[in-house]
Amino acid sequence: MSQNQSNPVSSSLPESGAAEGASPQARQKRYGIAIVGNDKIIDWLLPFLESYRATNSALPIYLIPYDDNVVQTRRAAEIYGATFVEEEPKEIDRLANELYPGIFNNNRRRLRKLQALALPLDEVAYVDVDVILFRDFSPIFGRLEAGKTEFIVASPSFEYVYNDRRSAYPFLRDVLLFNDGFWVTSNKYLKLSDFIETMAKDAEIFHDVRKRGQLFAQPLVNFVTHRRGVKIALLPNVVNNASHESYYKAPGISFSEGKPLDPDGKEIYFCHWAGATALPSRGTFDPAWTEFSKAAWARFGK
């Protein structure tokens, strides 16, 4: 068993603003990363894990299974020191079945990312696995603050959350719409039970406003945070010199010492191949992904 598996709090970072002279336990919070994967997307999972190893191996990482197709996924978790989450997400699957009863199981399981909210962490960074990490996530943690910054996102998403009927609901008119491929929060501010309770009361509104077209988790995560008034902040507004950019087709990207910068010189923390229909090959970020992929497969062994 890896160090992360046996002691997931051992990589905790000092809590910002802790009182001088407090015990080590009082000065620390448990921070970690959560991902979802299975063998079908092993070609994405392995480069992600290799990038995690290169940039964030001091942080515990939890791998939530997308389904039961996880023979290779379990092996990858062991190699990279990830904690494989064994608990079956019955409440999440039940919610998915209720919200999308006529939808094929593979799509409903996209809601399993919500299991990140039930992990034994004080703050969790959920990240999709069609991503590679470029920078240490340490500066991202310890930024949450009640009533001000309760849910951190990297990128807005204006087209893929709601339809035009959102204007009929005042609580949705001036909210920040975001890509749910990356977020940081605490179960002090957002819990799995919040999703269940909100859908029990407002599922009709949700279905009225949600964007269709193979979108399942993203409209839901947006809706629940908006309906409950969770305070959402963009990464650049809470981390000095951080970029909001993460899209793999972003223009004007440069690299300094192997790490990407946006056109304004802001630091890009990760690249997300959101909506990609093929593995990376010829884009700006693709050489870095290819190197991580080669290293990962060499470590994994085909």
Side-chain angles (χ1 to χ4, degrees), residues 144-157:
L144 300 178
E145 183 179 347
K148 182 178 179 182
T149 304
E150 300 173 338
F151 192 89
I152 300 170
V153 300
S155 304
S157 179

Side-chain angles (χ1 to χ4, degrees), residues 69-90:
N69 180 23
V70 290
V71 173
Q72 291 179 300
T73 301
R74 283 183 177 277
R75 182 162 173 256
E78 182 177 353
I79 290 171
Y80 285 95
T83 297
F84 190 92
V85 179
E86 301 287 355
E87 183 179 359
E88 187 177 354
K90 293 180 180 179

